[in-house]
Amino acid sequence: MFAKEGADVALVARTQAKLAAVAKNIEALGRKALVIQADLSKEADTATVVPKTVEHFGKLDVLVNNAGISPAGSLTEGTVLQAYDEVMKTNVRAVIQLTSFAAPYLAKTKGNVVNISSVVALRPCKNPELLPYFVSKAALDHFARCAAVELASSGVRVNTVKPGPVDNDFNSNNSLGDPKVIRQTLIDATLQGFIATNEEIGGVILFLASDKARSITGCNYVMDNGWTMVSHE
């Protein structure tokens, strides 16, 4: 979607095949794609992302922090700390690290950051095994607000998109059960009776990253098909 609007894009993920497929689509639109294979749970990998991007493109306009994992762990089973440490490395620490590295370059371009959080940050966790994930997204939300305050004097905006259920492979790869059952459960939990698409979420990210949103910073955009308005007892 960014490439369609004329952007060159650095792509960061663990899976080479997926990176290559997206890069091919971007190049088919006449834009440049830089593939960076990295595991953002590893500090050394994360540290390479911004330098490689700036070296290749000469600047940085937008940072989209989208990587996220959801390991299971609960208080009563004694697995919460292991899951917490794992999820925080990717969902929060990597975001802070990338934003810190990106900030000087974004200040030069008057660019911005868009963080991908989740509506689970707004409600207590009903499934005990998802507690670490819920906590990580709440932490991410507050980091974004604090970062917006600190970076405002540099002309850098920081905003957050909070999806509810989305029809993508984050849910289909979930280790908590049958993907079809999980998908239907997510649909049933919404007010509208359907869940968002990647393109719908991407459209809001693109808006927040654009000059059309120049007056928006420190904000959380909820896109959840009414999930937060339905009782989940």
Side-chain angles (χ1 to χ4, degrees):
M1 294 180 77
F2 274 86
K4 287 179 180 178
E5 295 297 322
D8 297 323
V9 186
L11 306 165
V12 186
R14 294 174 296 182
T15 308
Q16 181 65 36
K18 289 186 177 182
L19 285 166
V22 180
K24 184 177 180 180
N25 290 337
I26 289 171
E27 290 165 354
L29 294 168
R31 304 311 308 177
K32 297 177 182 178
L34 172 64
V35 169
I36 303 174
Q37 187 174 14
D39 181 347
L40 297 185
S41 69
K42 299 176 180 178
E43 183 174 346
D45 279 16
T46 306
T48 68
V49 172
V50 172
K52 285 182 177 179
T53 301
V54 174
E55 180 182 1
H56 190 81
F57 293 123
K59 65 172 184 172
L60 179 64
D61 296 294
V62 180
L63 169 64
V64 179
N65 287 308
N66 185 52
I69 59 173
S70 179
S74 72
L75 294 169
T76 55
E77 293 181 0
T79 54
V80 67
L81 283 179
Q82 181 179 346
Y84 173 86
D85 288 341
E86 184 180 352
V87 74
M88 294 298 281
K89 282 191 293 186
T90 296
N91 293 16
V92 182
R93 195 180 195 282
V95 171
I96 296 173
Q97 186 180 359
L98 284 169
T99 304
S100 178
F101 275 112
Y105 300 102
L106 294 173
K108 292 179 181 179
T109 60
K110 304 306 175 188
N112 65 87
V113 180
V114 182
N115 294 320
I116 312 306
S117 181
S118 170
V119 289
V120 302
L122 301 174
R123 304 184 68 136
C125 180
K126 298 293 185 182
N127 183 337
E129 291 191 334
L130 292 177
L131 183 151
Y133 179 72
F134 278 52
V135 170
S136 76
K137 291 304 184 180
L140 179 60
D141 284 2
H142 204 50
F143 166 72
R145 286 187 285 265
C146 294
V149 172
E150 180 175 348
L151 299 180
S153 61
S154 301
V156 177
R157 298 183 295 107
V158 182
N159 289 294
T160 302
V161 177
K162 299 169 76 67
V166 182
D167 199 1
N168 60 26
D169 60 4
F170 183 78
N171 294 315
S172 65
N173 290 335
N174 198 309
S175 62
L176 296 178
D178 184 335
K180 292 182 180 179
V181 174
I182 292 171
R183 184 177 184 276
Q184 188 58 52
T185 300
L186 294 174
I187 290 172
D188 293 341
T190 69
L191 188 65
Q192 292 181 292
F194 60 88
I195 57 180
T197 65
N198 285 331
E199 289 73 21
E200 289 170 329
I201 305 300
V204 174
I205 296 170
L206 194 63
F207 164 70
L208 289 173
S210 74
D211 290 339
K212 293 178 182 179
R214 71 184 187 93
S215 297
I216 303 173
T217 193
C219 290
N220 280 271
Y221 272 63
V222 174
M223 300 182 65
D224 70 345
N225 303 91
W227 184 87
T228 52
M229 301 176 66
V230 176
S231 173
H232 297 281
E233 294 181 0

Coordinates of all heavy atoms in Angstrom, one line a residue, residues 124-181:
P124 N -9.3 -6.4 30.5 CA -8.6 -7.5 31.2 C -8.7 -8.8 30.5 O -9.6 -9.0 29.7 CB -9.3 -7.6 32.6 CG -10.6 -7.0 32.3 CD -10.4 -5.9 31.3
C125 N -7.7 -9.6 30.7 CA -7.6 -10.9 29.9 C -8.5 -12.0 30.5 O -8.4 -12.3 31.7 CB -6.2 -11.3 30.0 SG -5.9 -12.9 29.1
K126 N -9.4 -12.5 29.7 CA -10.3 -13.6 30.1 C -9.6 -15.0 30.0 O -9.8 -15.9 30.7 CB -11.6 -13.6 29.3 CG -12.4 -12.4 29.4 CD -13.0 -12.2 30.8 CE -13.9 -11.0 30.9 NZ -14.4 -10.9 32.3
N127 N -8.7 -15.1 29.0 CA -7.9 -16.3 28.8 C -6.6 -16.1 29.5 O -5.7 -15.3 29.1 CB -7.7 -16.6 27.3 CG -6.9 -17.9 27.1 OD1 -6.2 -18.4 27.9 ND2 -7.1 -18.4 25.9
P128 N -6.3 -16.9 30.6 CA -5.1 -16.6 31.4 C -3.8 -16.8 30.6 O -2.8 -16.2 31.0 CB -5.3 -17.6 32.6 CG -6.2 -18.7 32.1 CD -7.2 -18.0 31.2
E129 N -3.9 -17.7 29.6 CA -2.6 -17.9 28.9 C -2.2 -16.7 28.0 O -1.1 -16.7 27.5 CB -2.8 -19.2 28.0 CG -2.9 -20.5 28.8 CD -2.8 -21.7 27.9 OE1 -3.2 -21.6 26.7 OE2 -2.4 -22.7 28.4
L130 N -3.1 -15.8 27.8 CA -2.8 -14.6 27.0 C -2.4 -13.4 27.8 O -2.2 -12.3 27.2 CB -4.0 -14.3 26.1 CG -4.3 -15.3 25.0 CD1 -5.6 -14.8 24.3 CD2 -3.2 -15.5 24.0
L131 N -2.3 -13.5 29.1 CA -1.9 -12.4 30.0 C -0.7 -11.7 29.5 O -0.7 -10.4 29.4 CB -1.8 -12.9 31.4 CG -1.5 -11.9 32.5 CD1 -2.1 -12.3 33.8 CD2 0.0 -11.5 32.6
P132 N 0.4 -12.3 29.2 CA 1.6 -11.6 28.8 C 1.4 -10.7 27.5 O 1.9 -9.6 27.4 CB 2.7 -12.7 28.5 CG 2.2 -13.9 29.3 CD 0.7 -13.8 29.3
Y133 N 0.6 -11.3 26.6 CA 0.3 -10.5 25.3 C -0.5 -9.2 25.7 O -0.2 -8.1 25.2 CB -0.4 -11.4 24.4 CG -0.8 -10.7 23.1 CD1 0.2 -10.4 22.1 CD2 -2.1 -10.4 22.8 CE1 -0.2 -9.8 20.9 CE2 -2.5 -9.7 21.6 CZ -1.5 -9.5 20.7 OH -1.9 -8.8 19.5
F134 N -1.5 -9.4 26.5 CA -2.3 -8.2 26.9 C -1.5 -7.2 27.5 O -1.6 -6.0 27.2 CB -3.4 -8.7 27.8 CG -4.6 -9.3 27.2 CD1 -4.5 -10.3 26.3 CD2 -5.9 -8.8 27.5 CE1 -5.6 -10.9 25.7 CE2 -7.0 -9.3 26.9 CZ -6.9 -10.4 26.0
V135 N -0.6 -7.6 28.5 CA 0.3 -6.6 29.2 C 1.2 -5.9 28.2 O 1.5 -4.7 28.3 CB 1.1 -7.4 30.3 CG1 2.1 -6.5 30.9 CG2 0.1 -7.8 31.4
S136 N 1.8 -6.7 27.2 CA 2.7 -6.1 26.3 C 2.1 -5.0 25.5 O 2.7 -3.9 25.2 CB 3.3 -7.2 25.4 OG 2.4 -7.6 24.4
K137 N 0.8 -5.2 25.1 CA 0.1 -4.2 24.2 C -0.2 -2.9 25.1 O -0.2 -1.8 24.6 CB -1.1 -4.8 23.6 CG -0.8 -5.8 22.5 CD 0.1 -5.2 21.4 CE 0.4 -6.2 20.3 NZ 1.3 -5.7 19.3
A138 N -0.6 -3.1 26.3 CA -0.8 -2.0 27.2 C 0.5 -1.2 27.4 O 0.5 0.1 27.4 CB -1.3 -2.4 28.6
A139 N 1.6 -1.8 27.5 CA 2.9 -1.2 27.7 C 3.2 -0.4 26.4 O 3.7 0.7 26.4 CB 4.0 -2.2 28.0
L140 N 3.0 -1.0 25.2 CA 3.2 -0.4 24.0 C 2.4 0.9 23.8 O 3.0 1.9 23.3 CB 2.9 -1.4 22.8 CG 3.1 -0.8 21.4 CD1 4.6 -0.4 21.2 CD2 2.7 -1.9 20.4
D141 N 1.2 0.9 24.2 CA 0.3 2.1 24.1 C 0.9 3.2 24.9 O 1.0 4.4 24.4 CB -1.1 1.8 24.7 CG -1.9 1.0 23.7 OD1 -1.4 0.6 22.6 OD2 -3.1 0.7 24.1
H142 N 1.4 3.0 26.1 CA 1.9 4.1 27.0 C 3.3 4.5 26.5 O 3.6 5.7 26.5 CB 2.0 3.7 28.4 CG 1.9 4.8 29.3 ND1 1.0 5.8 29.2 CD2 2.7 5.2 30.4 CE1 1.2 6.8 30.2 NE2 2.3 6.4 30.9
F143 N 4.0 3.6 25.9 CA 5.3 4.0 25.3 C 5.1 5.0 24.2 O 5.8 6.0 24.1 CB 6.1 2.8 24.8 CG 7.2 3.2 23.9 CD1 8.4 3.9 24.4 CD2 7.1 3.1 22.5 CE1 9.4 4.3 23.6 CE2 8.1 3.5 21.7 CZ 9.3 4.1 22.2
A144 N 4.1 4.7 23.4 CA 3.8 5.6 22.2 C 3.4 7.0 22.7 O 3.8 8.0 22.1 CB 2.6 5.0 21.4
R145 N 2.6 7.1 23.7 CA 2.2 8.4 24.3 C 3.4 9.1 24.8 O 3.6 10.3 24.5 CB 1.2 8.2 25.4 CG -0.2 7.8 24.9 CD -1.3 7.9 26.0 NE -1.1 6.7 26.9 CZ -1.8 5.6 26.7 NH1 -2.7 5.5 25.7 NH2 -1.7 4.6 27.6
C146 N 4.3 8.4 25.5 CA 5.5 9.1 26.0 C 6.4 9.5 24.9 O 7.0 10.6 25.0 CB 6.2 8.1 27.0 SG 5.3 7.8 28.5
A147 N 6.6 8.6 23.9 CA 7.4 9.0 22.8 C 6.9 10.2 22.0 O 7.7 11.0 21.5 CB 7.6 7.7 21.9
A148 N 5.6 10.3 21.9 CA 5.0 11.4 21.2 C 5.3 12.7 21.9 O 5.6 13.7 21.2 CB 3.4 11.2 21.1
V149 N 5.3 12.7 23.2 CA 5.7 13.9 24.0 C 7.1 14.2 23.8 O 7.5 15.4 23.5 CB 5.4 13.7 25.5 CG1 5.9 14.8 26.3 CG2 3.9 13.5 25.7
E150 N 8.0 13.2 23.9 CA 9.5 13.5 23.7 C 9.9 14.0 22.3 O 10.7 14.9 22.2 CB 10.3 12.3 24.1 CG 11.8 12.5 24.0 CD 12.6 11.4 24.5 OE1 12.0 10.4 25.1 OE2 13.8 11.4 24.3
L151 N 9.3 13.4 21.3 CA 9.7 13.6 19.9 C 9.0 14.8 19.3 O 9.3 15.2 18.2 CB 9.5 12.4 19.1 CG 10.4 11.2 19.6 CD1 10.1 10.0 18.6 CD2 11.8 11.5 19.6
A152 N 8.0 15.4 19.9 CA 7.2 16.5 19.3 C 8.1 17.7 19.0 O 7.9 18.3 18.0 CB 6.0 16.9 20.3
S153 N 9.0 18.0 19.9 CA 9.9 19.1 19.7 C 10.8 19.0 18.5 O 11.3 19.9 17.9 CB 10.7 19.4 20.9 OG 11.6 18.3 21.2
S154 N 10.9 17.7 18.0 CA 11.7 17.4 16.8 C 10.9 17.4 15.5 O 11.4 17.1 14.5 CB 12.5 16.1 17.0 OG 13.3 16.1 18.1
G155 N 9.6 17.6 15.7 CA 8.6 17.5 14.6 C 8.2 16.1 14.2 O 7.8 15.9 13.1
V156 N 8.5 15.2 15.1 CA 8.2 13.8 14.8 C 6.9 13.4 15.5 O 6.7 13.6 16.7 CB 9.3 12.9 15.3 CG1 9.0 11.4 15.0 CG2 10.6 13.2 14.5
R157 N 5.9 12.8 14.8 CA 4.7 12.4 15.3 C 4.8 10.9 15.6 O 5.4 10.1 15.0 CB 3.5 12.6 14.3 CG 3.3 14.0 14.0 CD 2.1 14.2 13.1 NE 2.3 13.7 11.7 CZ 1.7 12.6 11.3 NH1 0.8 11.9 12.1 NH2 1.9 12.1 10.1
V158 N 4.0 10.4 16.7 CA 4.0 9.0 17.1 C 2.5 8.7 17.3 O 1.8 9.3 18.2 CB 4.8 8.7 18.3 CG1 4.7 7.2 18.7 CG2 6.2 9.2 18.2
N159 N 2.0 7.7 16.6 CA 0.6 7.3 16.8 C 0.5 5.8 16.8 O 1.4 5.1 16.5 CB -0.3 7.8 15.6 CG -0.5 9.3 15.7 OD1 -1.1 9.8 16.7 ND2 0.1 10.1 14.8
T160 N -0.7 5.3 17.2 CA -0.9 3.9 17.4 C -2.2 3.5 16.8 O -3.2 4.2 16.9 CB -1.0 3.6 18.9 OG1 0.2 4.0 19.6 CG2 -1.2 2.1 19.2
V161 N -2.2 2.3 16.1 CA -3.4 1.7 15.6 C -3.7 0.5 16.4 O -2.8 -0.3 16.7 CB -3.2 1.3 14.1 CG1 -4.5 0.5 13.6 CG2 -2.9 2.5 13.2
K162 N -4.9 0.3 16.9 CA -5.3 -0.7 17.8 C -6.3 -1.6 17.1 O -7.5 -1.4 17.3 CB -5.9 -0.2 19.1 CG -4.9 0.7 19.9 CD -5.6 1.4 21.0 CE -5.9 0.5 22.1 NZ -4.7 0.1 22.8
P163 N -5.9 -2.6 16.3 CA -6.9 -3.5 15.7 C -7.5 -4.4 16.7 O -6.9 -4.7 17.8 CB -6.0 -4.3 14.7 CG -4.7 -3.6 14.6 CD -4.5 -2.9 15.9
G164 N -8.7 -4.8 16.4 CA -9.3 -6.0 17.1 C -9.0 -7.2 16.2 O -7.9 -7.3 15.7
P165 N -9.9 -8.1 16.1 CA -9.6 -9.3 15.3 C -9.4 -8.9 13.8 O -10.1 -8.1 13.2 CB -10.9 -10.1 15.4 CG -11.6 -9.6 16.7 CD -11.2 -8.2 16.7
V166 N -8.4 -9.5 13.2 CA -8.0 -9.3 11.8 C -7.9 -10.6 11.1 O -7.4 -11.6 11.7 CB -6.7 -8.5 11.7 CG1 -6.4 -8.2 10.2 CG2 -6.8 -7.2 12.5
D167 N -8.4 -10.7 9.9 CA -8.4 -11.9 9.1 C -7.1 -12.1 8.5 O -6.9 -11.8 7.3 CB -9.5 -11.9 8.1 CG -9.9 -13.3 7.6 OD1 -9.3 -14.2 8.1 OD2 -10.8 -13.3 6.7
N168 N -6.1 -12.6 9.2 CA -4.8 -12.9 8.7 C -4.1 -14.0 9.4 O -4.7 -14.7 10.2 CB -3.9 -11.6 8.8 CG -3.7 -11.2 10.2 OD1 -3.8 -11.9 11.2 ND2 -3.4 -9.9 10.4
D169 N -2.9 -14.3 8.9 CA -2.2 -15.6 9.4 C -1.7 -15.5 10.9 O -1.2 -16.4 11.4 CB -1.2 -16.1 8.5 CG 0.0 -15.1 8.3 OD1 0.0 -14.0 8.9 OD2 0.9 -15.3 7.4
F170 N -1.8 -14.3 11.5 CA -1.4 -14.2 12.9 C -2.4 -15.1 13.7 O -2.0 -15.7 14.7 CB -1.5 -12.7 13.4 CG -1.1 -12.6 14.8 CD1 0.3 -12.6 15.2 CD2 -2.0 -12.4 15.8 CE1 0.6 -12.4 16.5 CE2 -1.6 -12.2 17.1 CZ -0.3 -12.2 17.5
N171 N -3.7 -15.1 13.3 CA -4.7 -15.9 13.9 C -4.6 -17.4 13.5 O -4.7 -18.3 14.2 CB -6.1 -15.3 13.7 CG -6.2 -14.0 14.3 OD1 -5.9 -13.8 15.5 ND2 -6.8 -13.0 13.6
S172 N -4.3 -17.6 12.2 CA -4.3 -18.9 11.6 C -3.1 -19.7 12.1 O -3.1 -20.9 12.2 CB -4.3 -18.9 10.1 OG -3.2 -18.3 9.6
N173 N -2.1 -19.0 12.5 CA -0.9 -19.7 13.1 C -0.9 -19.8 14.6 O 0.0 -20.2 15.2 CB 0.4 -18.9 12.7 CG 0.7 -19.0 11.2 OD1 0.2 -20.0 10.6 ND2 1.4 -18.1 10.6
N174 N -2.0 -19.4 15.2 CA -2.1 -19.4 16.6 C -2.0 -20.8 17.2 O -2.7 -21.7 16.7 CB -3.5 -18.7 17.0 CG -3.5 -18.3 18.5 OD1 -3.2 -19.0 19.4 ND2 -3.9 -17.0 18.7
S175 N -1.3 -20.9 18.2 CA -1.1 -22.3 18.8 C -2.2 -22.7 19.8 O -2.1 -23.7 20.4 CB 0.3 -22.3 19.5 OG 0.3 -21.3 20.6
L176 N -3.2 -21.8 19.9 CA -4.2 -22.1 20.9 C -5.4 -22.9 20.4 O -6.3 -23.2 21.2 CB -4.7 -20.7 21.5 CG -3.7 -19.8 22.2 CD1 -4.4 -18.5 22.6 CD2 -3.1 -20.6 23.4
G177 N -5.4 -23.3 19.1 CA -6.5 -24.1 18.7 C -6.6 -24.1 17.2 O -5.8 -23.6 16.4
D178 N -7.7 -24.7 16.7 CA -8.1 -24.8 15.3 C -8.3 -23.4 14.7 O -9.1 -22.7 15.2 CB -9.3 -25.6 15.2 CG -9.7 -25.9 13.7 OD1 -9.3 -25.1 12.8 OD2 -10.4 -26.9 13.4
P179 N -7.5 -23.0 13.7 CA -7.7 -21.7 13.1 C -9.1 -21.3 12.7 O -9.5 -20.2 12.8 CB -6.7 -21.7 11.9 CG -5.7 -22.8 12.2 CD -6.5 -23.8 13.0
K180 N -9.8 -22.3 12.1 CA -11.2 -22.0 11.7 C -12.1 -21.8 12.9 O -13.0 -20.9 12.8 CB -11.8 -23.2 10.9 CG -11.1 -23.4 9.6 CD -11.7 -24.6 8.8 CE -11.1 -24.8 7.5 NZ -11.7 -26.0 6.7
V181 N -11.9 -22.5 14.0 CA -12.7 -22.3 15.2 C -12.3 -20.9 15.8 O -13.2 -20.1 16.2 CB -12.4 -23.4 16.2 CG1 -13.1 -23.1 17.5 CG2 -12.9 -24.7 15.6

